[in-house]
Amino acid sequence: MARIEGIQDDQASALTRAVFRGAKQRAGQVPDPLRIMALSKSVMWAAGFYELASAKGSRVPAALKALAGVKAAAMIGCVF
């Protein structure tokens, strides 16, 4: 549960709703961190470009990237 209330679908701009739709297709639902990042458009876009660039990198296998993400989340106590 986040301390900050994120953007809801009815409050989002058309572009933000499109980003939410893409996230829902990938993850099954819109993650709360994305809703919170949508409060600042520049933060949301920067995080999105980082995710795309990270996924596009091919020097490290995808399985190892996923494992590192899970380990990092466990170390900081993230529920995702």
Side-chain angles (χ1 to χ4, degrees), residues 6-51:
I7 299 276
Q8 298 304 317
D9 292 335
D10 58 341
Q11 300 169 328
S13 67
L15 197 54
T16 304
R17 280 194 299 262
V19 171
F20 285 178
R21 252 191 323 274
K24 192 171 186 178
Q25 287 175 349
R26 282 184 77 187
Q29 65 179 3
V30 180
D32 285 337
L34 179 60
R35 291 187 183 278
I36 293 168
M37 282 188 274
L39 292 170
S40 171
K41 300 292 185 220
S42 58
V43 171
M44 182 180 71
W45 287 110
F49 285 129
Y50 173 76
E51 289 287 329

